[in-house]
Amino acid sequence: MSIPTEIPLPSSTGPATAEPAPSAPSSEARSLWDRPGVRLTAGAALPLIVLAAWQLVTATGLVPVYRLPAPLTVLQAGGDLVSRGELGLHIAISVQRVLLGFAIGSVIGLAVAAVVGLSRAGDALLSPTLAALRAVPSLAWVPLLILWLQIGEESKVTLIAIGAFFPVFTTVAAALRHIDPHLVEAGRCFGLRGWSLFRTVQLPAVVPSVVSGLRLALAQAWLFLVAAELIASSMGLGFLLNDSQQNGRVDRILLTIVLLALLGSLTNALLGLVEKKLLRRWA
């Protein structure tokens, strides 16, 4: 007698189907957010919200005026400095110091990064010392620079250059150490050595990292500016910030902070234009 076997019943749900993968953002959505007008509007939304909230809390008295002056009061403080011919001079001197220190620090940072990133001997000799110096706070350099370089422009520009040096050095040296060895070997197979190999193969490979390092260095230069202008300075935005704090001028303190933010954004945008040209040429 044969043993009956169970006959599997057909599933009422039908054959199993794989879940559809999440769709990538459409090209239309990407192109929308890439439009300059849309990006500009989106970028301005948060500052406008902050400005509106600032006006609201000052107008309703939620925050005392002596702690947070109204936006119009800050604007009037700027107009007062403009009428005296002081604000433009403060801005020009600070921008000059930042750009000069940024240029010096970036050039030296690129040179040292090339030595450390392309030479094992340079890496072993320089990396430990530079890692230790990178941990020194900016204000710790101030008394030493005063003793060495006195209180002139040299000490201020040197401090800003120190701030700009380390982001460029760290970013570019790490990028050079991690270049694809097959790419370098291919260049050597074509007879490239030394400077020609660096210019043709290694430098184009690290251009995005160089630009990233320069962006970080520029931001760091603005951060070091305030510390640099504490060195017995009589002009500049850092001096204006310190002088306003001593005199209790909260409106001028806020004005200086806003100006530093705007100038940092402007210089970063200019560096972004340079980035597009470099990437189009090298990357």
Side-chain angles (χ1 to χ4, degrees):
M1 184 176 180
S2 62
I3 301 174
T5 58
E6 294 183 358
I7 301 175
L9 296 175
S11 174
S12 59
T13 58
T17 57
E19 295 183 0
S23 59
S26 65
S27 58
E28 293 182 0
R30 286 197 301 267
S31 62
L32 174 65
W33 288 104
D34 288 338
R35 294 176 182 175
V38 175
R39 293 185 62 87
L40 182 62
T41 304
L46 183 57
L48 291 175
I49 293 173
V50 172
L51 184 62
W54 180 4
Q55 176 64 34
L56 178 64
V57 298
T58 54
T60 57
L62 292 176
V63 180
V65 177
Y66 67 89
R67 289 183 180 271
L68 182 66
L72 182 58
T73 304
V74 175
L75 188 62
Q76 289 173 347
D80 179 55
L81 289 173
V82 170
S83 64
R84 297 182 186 181
E86 297 179 8
L87 187 60
L89 190 57
H90 285 305
I91 293 175
I93 290 176
S94 291
V95 170
Q96 176 183 320
R97 288 168 177 164
V98 166
L99 295 182
L100 188 57
F102 166 71
I104 295 173
S106 298
V107 170
I108 298 175
L110 288 171
V112 178
V115 174
V116 172
L118 299 176
S119 168
R120 294 189 178 182
D123 186 15
L125 289 171
L126 297 178
S127 288
T129 302
L130 292 174
L133 293 176
R134 184 176 54 192
V136 178
S138 59
L139 289 177
W141 294 103
V142 172
L144 185 62
L145 292 176
I146 291 177
L147 290 174
W148 283 357
L149 301 174
Q150 304 305 317
I151 59 175
E153 287 296 305
E154 293 83 1
S155 56
K156 301 174 182 61
V157 173
T158 300
L159 183 59
I160 297 173
I162 291 173
F165 167 84
F166 286 104
V168 175
F169 161 74
T170 304
T171 306
V172 178
L176 287 171
R177 281 195 295 264
H178 293 88
I179 292 178
D180 187 357
H182 297 91
L183 188 64
V184 177
E185 188 62 29
R188 287 173 177 165
C189 291
F190 284 95
L192 299 177
R193 296 290 187 277
W195 168 250
S196 60
L197 179 65
F198 176 75
R199 179 178 57 84
T200 308
V201 177
Q202 294 166 317
L203 180 59
V206 298
V207 163
S209 297
V210 171
V211 175
S212 298
L214 291 175
R215 281 181 175 271
L216 293 173
L218 184 59
Q220 192 82 339
W222 282 106
L223 292 176
F224 271 59
L225 171 70
V226 177
E229 291 183 338
L230 293 176
I231 307 177
S233 178
S234 59
M235 294 299 295
L237 293 175
F239 163 78
L240 182 61
L241 188 65
N242 187 48
D243 182 69
S244 301
Q245 183 267 330
Q246 293 178 356
N247 294 321
R249 294 295 303 269
V250 184
D251 52 351
R252 290 188 178 182
I253 292 176
L254 291 171
L255 173 67
T256 307
I257 292 173
V258 171
L259 288 175
L260 288 170
L262 292 176
L263 289 171
S265 299
L266 178 60
T267 52
N268 183 69
L270 293 176
L271 192 57
L273 297 178
V274 176
E275 174 186 8
K276 291 181 180 179
K277 293 185 178 180
L278 287 176
L279 293 178
R280 191 180 301 116
R281 170 66 176 83
W282 293 98

